[in-house]
Amino acid sequence: MLLISIRHYTRDYSREQDCHLCAAEILQFSSDICIIESTYGVQLHQPRNVREKRFTDVIHSTISQGGCVLIPAFALGRTQELLLILDEYWSNHPELHNIPISPRGLLLLTLVPLVY
């Protein structure tokens, strides 16, 4: 039997500042074992501002053409991040103020034009 004492734990993290989370810090520690979840650990991403612009451009274009948008988000933190990005974008675009942003459960955002 192997007994492991866990002193350090991490979740998926980013060294990049999010809307709602600070960038991860590199801590100096000594461990015999370090287990880190790394879904995107080896990915090179475009700069954040480029990704956010592409995201909001597609949404704005879809809504402008009468469509609705469903956004699956696989984690609560990701959903919060997307809501903050959309909230800022909506506040800067008065033509979208009548379009509700609705979190459906914890993992799906819905943007549907209101039809009267």
Side-chain angles (χ1 to χ4, degrees):
M1 172 187 263
L2 176 64
L3 176 63
I4 299 175
S5 174
I6 299 176
R7 295 184 198 162
H8 307 287
Y9 168 79
T10 182
R11 58 172 173 42
D12 192 12
Y13 64 90
S14 174
R15 297 277 298 142
E16 187 175 313
Q17 173 78 32
D18 282 338
C19 292
H20 72 300
L21 293 174
C22 299
E25 298 176 19
I26 297 177
L27 302 175
Q28 300 300 318
F29 65 91
S30 176
S31 273
D32 294 321
I33 298 173
C34 182
I35 301 171
I36 301 172
E37 194 281 329
S38 60
T39 303
Y40 298 107
V42 296
Q43 300 295 319
L44 295 176
H45 297 290
Q46 292 179 319
R48 181 182 182 86
N49 62 330
V50 172
R51 291 178 305 193
E52 285 185 15
K53 180 170 179 3
R54 190 175 69 218
F55 173 67
T56 54
D57 284 352
V58 167
I59 290 171
H60 199 148
S61 173
T62 301
I63 290 173
S64 296
Q65 296 174 46
C68 65
V69 180
L70 297 175
I71 305 167
F74 66 87
L76 180 57
R78 182 83 58 206
T79 303
Q80 291 171 322
E81 183 74 11
L82 294 174
L83 284 169
L84 290 168
I85 292 166
L86 292 171
D87 183 59
E88 181 180 346
Y89 188 80
W90 252 237
S91 67
N92 293 325
H93 293 85
E95 68 277 14
L96 297 174
H97 288 180
N98 69 326
I99 308 295
I101 301 173
S102 306
R104 304 286 184 186
L106 294 178
L107 302 177
L108 186 67
L109 303 176
T110 309
L111 300 100
V112 182
L114 297 176
V115 179
Y116 295 99

